[in-house]
Amino acid sequence: MPPQLPKNHEKIQILANVKYPQADILSVADQLNDDERKKLQQIHEFLQTEIRPVVGPYWDREELPFDLLPKLAEHGLGAIELSGTSRLFRGLVYAEVTRADVSLSAFVGIHNELIVALIAALGSEEQKEKWLEGLTKFERVGCFALTEPNHGSDIAGGLATTAEKTNDGWVINGEKRWIGGGTFADFSICFARDLADGEIKGFLIEHSLEGVSATKISGKSGLRIMQNANIIYDNVKVPDSALIPGAKSFRNTNDFLCSSRAWVAWQGAGLGLAIFDVAREYAITREQFGRPIAKFQLIQEKLARILGNTTASLSMMASIARLQESGQLEMPHAAMAKSTTTRLTRESAALAREIGGGNGILTEFELSKLFNDAEILYTYEGTYEVNSLIVGRAITGVSAFV
């Protein structure tokens, strides 16, 4: 069915023609060179005019808007990690996608950080040739299958999916959970423990193979556009060529997991931008007692706090991008960024929902949607608590995990 514009679309369009201070009030984007700054503005305008106004009904129905993927590809969002652009630009692009819709940003981020980038860096020439071109155009889709039903935060030590070497290749057995895009992916990058040496290895497993089955996880309170799945591998026979040569131990994938955690921190910053945008729009256009509620002191305090949280997040992420650019980013940095931006954004989402009053619980006004999506960011890619303990271990030298 064709996308339907939300009831507040006219207000969004009116506000787009009025000059207010930008949400990036310290001008983090001005650190980009001229070409990247212009490209970022183009992406921002595309996402705000063609994506944000139409995604609400998909969120309500728990559907991925496949019809929008070609448009995303046209703007280079299927090949962000192969673009040769600066780390700051890539981070701000992820933030802008999140600003338009958190679910689509999860899809775009996983696609780039954990599928395209991993295959490009660790895959065989055969795997690159077969998959990369289609992936960059969103004509092909993969999923990253690491988390399991009984192993999330402890996945490195507890991973139970197995890989058994045979004369013809490998046999994969196990179950994965919360796998983004798993219901429609062409393949999964599946991590399994080699029964011979105990190492966790990566395999590119096509979902057309016998024994692979995926079922959608329904009823989520947030990130509803992203299709998460349970995937079962039941005696799945794969050839030797399915082994990802650069992922023969879990250590080989740590850089990607670190980068992925930093990407989610950018999601936190981008969601902060969205929350400020929507809360300010609502406060300016909503009238009570004969005046816009933006005139009330309590509303202005909430908006100021939301902007402060967002500005702190963006500034932190600019420093994270600098560390990535110089090759100095480590997991404690990424963990601190992820736990901090998502914590601040979670607070901002609650403040914005308060500004919306009764309308704040309706998805047509976006505030409820942002509130629920913030809860997901706070939890996934390492919970707030686990990321805090990673930082704690780094600053004290003492691990709380064992």
Side-chain angles (χ1 to χ4, degrees):
M1 63 180 292
Q4 298 178 353
L5 299 181
K7 293 181 180 179
N8 63 338
H9 177 63
E10 290 184 2
K11 292 181 179 179
I12 294 173
Q13 293 299 99
I14 292 171
L15 285 162
N17 297 321
V18 180
K19 295 296 183 183
Y20 294 103
Q22 60 175 343
D24 178 12
I25 200 167
L26 295 186
S27 302
V28 170
D30 284 354
Q31 298 175 37
L32 300 172
N33 63 41
D34 289 343
D35 288 342
E36 288 185 344
R37 190 160 58 248
K38 290 176 184 176
K39 180 62 176 176
L40 182 68
Q41 183 60 30
Q42 291 170 357
I43 290 172
H44 167 79
E45 291 173 1
F46 156 66
L47 291 167
Q48 290 296 311
T49 59
E50 298 187 45
I51 301 299
R52 178 188 165 197
V54 303
V55 291
Y58 291 101
W59 194 94
D60 288 336
R61 299 193 301 266
E62 292 188 313
E63 294 178 10
L64 187 87
F66 291 99
D67 53 311
L68 298 180
L69 298 187
K71 292 184 177 182
L72 296 177
E74 287 175 11
H75 286 79
L77 299 182
I80 297 171
E81 292 303 313
L82 303 182
S83 63
T85 53
S86 69
R87 279 292 185 177
L88 180 59
F89 174 80
R90 283 179 266 174
L92 288 169
V93 168
Y94 289 134
E96 286 295 341
V97 181
T98 310
R99 193 176 190 175
D101 182 75
V102 184
S103 295
L104 280 181
S105 76
F107 173 76
V108 169
I110 292 170
H111 174 87
N112 280 279
E113 293 278 351
L114 296 176
I115 306 298
V116 172
L118 190 146
I119 292 175
L122 305 182
S124 66
E125 291 305 314
E126 178 184 346
Q127 290 164 347
K128 295 175 189 179
E129 183 175 349
K130 181 173 182 178
W131 297 105
L132 279 181
E133 183 177 356
L135 286 168
T136 60
K137 300 175 182 177
F138 287 123
E139 295 172 350
R140 311 301 291 271
V141 176
C143 62
F144 189 81
L146 176 61
T147 302
E148 298 179 348
N150 296 318
H151 300 287
S153 299
D154 69 340
I155 192 66
L159 187 140
T161 300
T162 62
E164 184 176 8
K165 188 71 180 73
T166 68
N167 292 332
D168 300 319
W170 299 81
V171 176
I172 311 296
N173 278 288
E175 185 174 354
K176 301 294 182 178
R177 183 164 172 79
W178 296 115
I179 309 307
T183 57
F184 54 82
D186 297 294
F187 66 87
S188 52
I189 294 178
C190 173
F191 291 87
R193 193 178 300 278
D194 186 345
L195 291 177
D197 60 14
E199 292 283 1
I200 297 174
K201 299 177 179 178
F203 297 84
L204 197 157
I205 301 178
E206 297 187 37
H207 283 193
S208 58
L209 292 174
E210 184 178 354
V212 180
S213 60
T215 56
K216 176 182 173 181
I217 299 174
S218 298
K220 297 186 301 178
S221 64
L223 223 65
R224 290 167 60 85
I225 286 176
M226 170 57 91
Q227 307 295 296
N228 291 90
N230 292 315
I231 301 179
I232 294 176
Y233 305 94
D234 183 11
N235 286 316
V236 179
K237 297 178 176 63
V238 298
D240 285 322
S241 60
L243 178 66
I244 299 173
K248 293 184 178 179
S249 79
F250 199 62
R251 292 183 297 276
N252 300 138
T253 63
N254 280 344
D255 287 345
F256 294 93
L257 296 176
C258 180
S259 181
S260 175
R261 199 149 298 187
W263 151 64
V264 177
W266 274 112
Q267 281 190 292
L271 181 52
L273 291 170
I275 290 167
F276 178 76
D277 290 341
V278 176
R280 178 169 62 178
E281 287 167 5
Y282 186 85
I284 291 169
T285 57
R286 173 67 169 174
E287 291 190 0
Q288 290 288 279
F289 304 102
R291 69 190 72 177
I293 64 172
K295 190 173 178 63
F296 300 141
Q297 292 179 0
L298 288 175
I299 299 299
Q300 291 193 4
E301 189 276 336
K302 288 180 172 61
L303 288 172
R305 200 171 354 151
I306 291 169
L307 183 58
N309 287 345
T310 302
T311 302
S313 296
L314 281 172
S315 299
M316 172 179 279
M317 293 315 300
S319 293
I320 290 293
R322 176 178 52 80
L323 289 176
Q324 283 184 291
E325 202 78 64
S326 63
Q328 299 180 69
L329 183 72
E330 297 181 358
M331 185 59 81
H333 301 132
M336 180 177 67
K338 192 273 176 180
S339 60
T340 301
T341 68
T342 58
R343 172 176 58 82
L344 293 176
T345 298
R346 190 189 196 206
E347 178 190 41
S348 294
L351 292 169
R353 208 231 40 91
E354 291 172 13
I355 290 173
N359 287 333
I361 67 172
L362 299 175
T363 54
E364 71 183 66
F365 290 91
E366 297 185 85
L367 296 168
S368 171
K369 175 174 173 284
L370 297 172
F371 178 88
N372 283 283
D373 285 343
E375 285 297 311
I376 309 302
L377 293 193
Y378 186 73
T379 299
Y380 88 155
E381 193 60 37
T383 65
Y384 172 79
E385 291 79 9
V386 166
N387 279 302
S388 296
L389 294 181
I390 290 172
V391 177
R393 179 175 60 192
I395 61 178
T396 66
V398 179
S399 176
F401 294 106
V402 292

